[in-house]
Structures are given as structure tokens and as C-alpha cells.
Amino acid sequence: MASPVLIMNRRSLLGAAALMLVGSVRGWGHEVKSERSKTLPIEGSWFDFRHPNPYDGNYWNMQTAAFTGEQWQAKIREMAGIGMKTLVLMSVAHQGMALYPSRVIPRRWRPFHCEDPIEAVLQAADREDARVFIGLGFFEADTGRFDTRDPVALRYSRDVPVELWERYGRHTSFGGWYLPVEAPIRGHFPDGYLRYTQAMASRLRQIAPGKPILIAPYGTRTVVPDARFVSQLRALEVDYVAYQDEVGVEKTRLDELDGIWSRVRQAHDRAGIPLWADVELFRFEGPVYRSPLVPAPMARIEAQLAAASRYVEKILGYQYLGLMNAPDSLAPAGHPSSVDLYRAYRAWLERRTGAES
């Protein structure tokens, strides 16, 4: 994400009673259970070839730039091996320069060791039975523009999806599209954002019928679950909405999550649209938005997962890349403590699995 945000408050929500969820909702094999008492695992993650924020990706941008194709494949295997098989590629361009071999975008971002990282990722994802949402951006320097009138950026938005589908659509792991320009919710979605998603969705469904579209808005804490918001959800013309929980960016306290997810759940039940969570796995090393992302404590993440699990069908994490690394990783990227978070999360998964058996 261009500018994800979370909080470091550690008030635990563990052990809170499971709440009733309404109905059955489509969601890649998930059905909302009437009584969920089990915390969901992280089933997917974002990843990036070049993180768009110069501070956030400080600990991994140079490392991933040096990845070979074999290392990108190893990283996908690593993520799938810990149960993260819904993978979201942040973007296929950076500051208007391509991150893959493109005929549409004339300039290529450098330095970049791997000639075609998208191909490497999809090959590995094919073998792992994973699904990759391909991020359609960033086609101009300002990564937050959904109302752009720049003719070059508009042409890229129109032509790059065609090129991507022609080049990579044969892969079974090409799971869908991600619109990386994030919606700034302030009670409701901006009207201009709806025009952006509607235009993109119309184009994408012509190019690749049946491939789902994902967005990940911020401002989740402000959602007003009224008739207007429900109408907007239906009008977005997207298939999945994964809301940032905004704990890492210190906008939301842990003790607020239950009420926030409850309100969003109400709106999604009325709209009939799946509800996913974008759980932030990071904290800032220093000032918020002005320092690198580093792994958050597992105790905080566990509380975030517990809160989201009572309301959502699927949890994605932001993000494995840079914040988790297997101790024996063939493609290490991120802060040294990323190994500690990997071990802590894997131990949590094993305890969770043991409790089920």
C-alpha cells in the first residue's frame, strides 16, 4: 500500500466472545459462520517489486531490487508454505516506469536484477496453487491519484491491463486485479473514487471476463454503515474489499477494532459483498509515515486477527515481504527481526492447528 497505517497499543482483545455473523457470503471458499470462535489465519499478503514509499520499504527495496527470478520464486514458495496463497502485487510500475518488460510503458525502473519478476512470481504461484492479484499502478509520480487527468497515466490505465493479460493470462495463478490507488474513506467513499473503480472495472471485465477485482481502502474507522454507504459498496463494481485495520499507522487502537469491524460488517451484509481484512503487520521504527516499517509484536498482531476474525471471511496481511522471513530463506528481505516474527507466527499457527485436532 502506498501509505499504510497501524497502532502500537497492546490492549488485548483475546478471549472476547464470538459474535453472530449474518448470512452466507461469497469469498473464495469461505462462508461466514453463524458462530465463529476460532481466530482466522493470515491467508494472503501484499508484496511489492519496488515499494512506492521511500521510508516504508527502506529495509527491503534494495534487497528485492537484487532478487533473481529464482529468488522471487523462492519467496512465493516461502509465503505459500506458511499458508499465504492469496497474493497481492502492489503495482506493475513505479513513478510511471515499468517494473516488467513492457511495450506500453517505454521506460523501465532501474536498478532491477530480474528481467521479468511477474513471470517468475506467476510460475511459482502456479506450482503452489496460489492466486495473484495484479496491481494496476503506479502510472504517475503521485500514487494517490484516482482522479487523474494526465493523458499518459490514463493511456497506461487503458492499455497496460491488455498487455498484462496477453503476456501473463495463461497462468492459472493469475487470480485477478488489484486497484492500488487507495480510497480515502471519510464516512463514505469519495464520489470520484467510485468513478475510478467503475471505469476500471468496466475495462477489466472486457479484457478478462470473470477475473475478480480487489481494493483496500483506508479510513475504515470512519465508516458510516448507512444507506448511502451500502449503495456505494454496490456501485463500486468490485468483487472484494479488504479494509486496512489502521493499527500499524496508529490511527486505531486495539480496543476500537470490535466496534469498527461490526459497523463495516453491517454495511457489507446489507450490500451482499464479501468482507475481507487488511491487517497491518508492522509498526514504524520512528515517526509515523517518516520512518521505515519494521515487524510488529506478535501479541499485537494476534489481537488484531482475533478482532477481525469475528466479522470477516478472509484475512490478508500487510505484508509478509519485508516483515517476515523464514530463518533459512533463499530470498531474505527486510529488517533482521523479520525472522523473529516469522517464528512467532509459525508457532501461533501450530498452536492453532493443535487446538483444532
Side-chain angles (χ1 to χ4, degrees):
M1 285 164 270
S3 58
V5 278
L6 292 171
I7 188 168
M8 298 169 59
N9 187 301
R10 299 197 187 185
R11 295 180 216 175
S12 178
L13 292 176
L14 301 179
L19 300 182
M20 299 293 286
L21 298 180
V22 182
S24 173
V25 183
R26 57 196 171 96
W28 278 18
H30 283 289
E31 183 172 303
V32 181
K33 299 176 182 178
S34 58
E35 294 183 6
R36 178 181 291 138
S37 58
K38 193 73 176 176
T39 300
L40 295 174
I42 304 170
E43 295 187 60
S45 172
W46 274 259
F47 68 101
D48 47 68
F49 298 142
R50 173 73 188 186
H51 196 285
N53 184 296
Y55 297 103
D56 290 2
N58 182 68
Y59 280 112
W60 67 84
N61 264 342
M62 293 307 295
Q63 292 170 308
T64 55
F67 275 7
T68 64
E70 290 76 16
Q71 284 178 301
W72 277 116
Q73 293 191 2
K75 184 55 71 177
I76 296 303
R77 290 195 301 271
E78 191 178 310
M79 294 164 75
I82 205 167
M84 300 184 191
K85 292 193 175 187
T86 299
L87 307 177
V88 186
L89 172 59
M90 173 70 72
S91 65
V92 297
H94 179 64
Q95 296 183 356
M97 291 176 275
L99 298 172
Y100 70 102
S102 175
R103 297 185 307 274
V104 175
I105 305 173
R107 290 198 299 161
R108 182 77 184 267
W109 177 265
R110 301 292 183 188
F112 220 60
H113 189 79
C114 180
E115 178 62 19
D116 193 344
I118 297 179
E119 178 66 27
V121 161
L122 291 173
Q123 284 183 11
D126 286 347
R127 293 191 290 269
E128 297 297 328
D129 193 29
R131 295 293 180 268
V132 181
F133 285 84
I134 305 293
L136 294 173
F138 294 108
F139 301 136
E140 54 190 327
D142 184 350
T143 60
R145 293 287 298 277
F146 56 78
D147 56 352
T148 184
R149 289 176 172 78
D150 179 88
V152 174
L154 290 172
R155 180 168 64 83
Y156 290 169
S157 295
R158 183 191 69 225
D159 295 344
V160 166
V162 175
E163 177 178 63
L164 292 170
W165 184 244
E166 290 176 349
R167 189 178 181 95
Y168 305 110
R170 71 187 185 282
H171 287 281
T172 58
S173 60
F174 194 130
W177 308 97
Y178 172 59
L179 304 183
V181 180
E182 299 168 356
I185 298 173
R186 295 181 180 89
H188 303 86
F189 288 93
D191 290 337
Y193 187 78
L194 269 66
R195 291 191 291 271
Y196 161 69
T197 60
Q198 289 165 352
M200 291 297 295
S202 175
R203 178 71 171 154
L204 296 174
R205 298 197 198 285
Q206 293 174 12
I207 296 166
K211 291 297 180 182
I213 301 167
L214 168 69
I215 63 172
Y218 66 93
T220 311
R221 62 178 293 107
T222 74
V223 167
V224 178
D226 58 8
R228 178 186 171 194
F229 192 84
V230 171
S231 176
Q232 287 185 324
L233 283 175
R234 293 171 178 154
L236 286 168
E237 297 295 333
V238 303
D239 300 276
Y240 301 110
V241 184
Y243 295 83
Q244 300 174 33
D245 73 358
E246 301 187 298
V247 174
V249 289
E250 303 188 20
K251 289 185 178 178
T252 298
R253 300 191 312 270
L254 292 177
D255 62 352
E256 296 177 301
L257 286 173
D258 196 78
I260 291 169
W261 286 123
S262 176
R263 292 193 295 274
V264 178
R265 177 79 257 173
Q266 292 174 39
H268 275 252
D269 283 339
R270 292 172 62 192
I273 294 174
L275 172 57
W276 289 7
D278 173 359
V279 169
E280 295 174 338
L281 308 179
F282 61 86
R283 62 179 180 86
F284 287 93
E285 189 173 48
V288 175
Y289 296 128
R290 288 292 183 180
S291 64
L293 303 187
V294 296
M298 185 60 206
R300 195 202 79 186
I301 293 170
E302 189 171 353
Q304 292 169 259
L305 297 178
S309 293
R310 290 189 285 277
Y311 299 98
V312 308
E313 292 87 74
K314 191 184 195 80
I315 293 177
L316 306 181
Y318 189 84
Q319 64 177 19
Y320 183 97
L321 185 74
L323 300 175
M324 287 191 193
N325 278 291
D328 57 351
S329 176
L330 299 176
H335 192 269
S337 66
S338 58
V339 174
D340 298 330
L341 180 56
Y342 176 94
R343 286 180 170 137
Y345 179 69
R346 190 165 197 103
W348 178 82
L349 277 180
E350 291 170 356
R351 291 195 302 272
R352 180 183 178 278
T353 301
E356 287 182 339
S357 58

